[in-house]
Amino acid sequence: MTVSKTAEKSSEKPADAAKGRKDAGDVQAEALQLGELSEQLGYVLKRAQLKVFENFLRCMASLQLTPAQFSVLLLVEKNPGRNQTEIASTLGILRPNFVAMLDNLESRDLCARIRSTNDRRSHILVLTDKGKAVLARAKKLVATKHEARLNDLLGQANREALIGMLAKIANEF
């Protein structure tokens, strides 16, 4: 079945049809109504996560680090000698995605995989000297720009409460 685009074949006159719809400019200026979606915790969490990640990426633009890469570097720093499976599992990153991320971090000389002396099938992760320097700069940027902005927005008490609530969801849900 085909639909004609001509006004002559429409039962509605062009002037009457225009009355029932808004001008394209009006539609763009008017925000969509979210209804119940605005009260869905998952939706609100995802929207907040997107905003937080956008800000993180802006803060880290000079270092070209994603939130996941930053998390990996932090865990490797705090857990020297742990294997890549443990790091990926702790962060909830699937193995194929984690391998690709490690390839990227290694190609930038930020970390290295070293075959474990205990289990030759396993690799431990270590930060390179460059990785330590980049992580130190990243931590400073996160503290002074990213986290500081969140702290200014929420206040210390709300920040701590939010971290507690999100941790409860992550650990118990």
Side-chain angles (χ1 to χ4, degrees), residues 18-27 30:
K19 287 180 192 173
R21 48 172 208 251
K22 296 186 184 211
D23 191 71
D26 292 341
V27 172
E30 208 175 293

Side-chain angles (χ1 to χ4, degrees), residues 37-130:
L37 191 56
S38 65
E39 296 173 14
Q40 298 291 314
L41 185 56
Y43 175 78
V44 176
L45 281 171
K46 181 62 176 181
R47 297 297 303 170
Q49 178 201 24
L50 291 171
K51 292 293 187 177
V52 169
F53 277 22
E54 286 172 11
N55 183 261
F56 183 94
L57 292 171
R58 274 192 303 277
C59 292
M60 290 290 126
S62 63
L63 299 178
Q64 298 180 328
L65 285 179
T66 66
Q69 291 168 334
F70 178 69
S71 299
V72 168
L73 295 177
L74 276 176
L75 281 186
V76 171
E77 177 192 49
K78 295 294 179 192
N79 301 280
R82 300 304 283 264
N83 69 44
Q84 64 188 56
T85 302
E86 292 172 300
I87 301 290
S89 176
T90 298
L91 294 174
I93 302 173
L94 298 175
R95 181 174 168 76
N97 299 341
F98 193 68
V99 169
M101 186 188 314
L102 285 180
D103 289 345
N104 177 283
L105 292 172
E106 273 190 317
S107 73
R108 295 170 57 195
D109 192 32
L110 300 179
C111 74
R113 286 176 267 208
I114 300 171
R115 190 167 304 280
S116 172
T117 55
N118 299 338
D119 181 357
R120 296 197 57 197
R121 298 168 296 166
S122 180
H123 289 91
I124 60 170
L125 299 175
V126 295
L127 293 180
T128 62
D129 289 339
K130 181 180 176 184

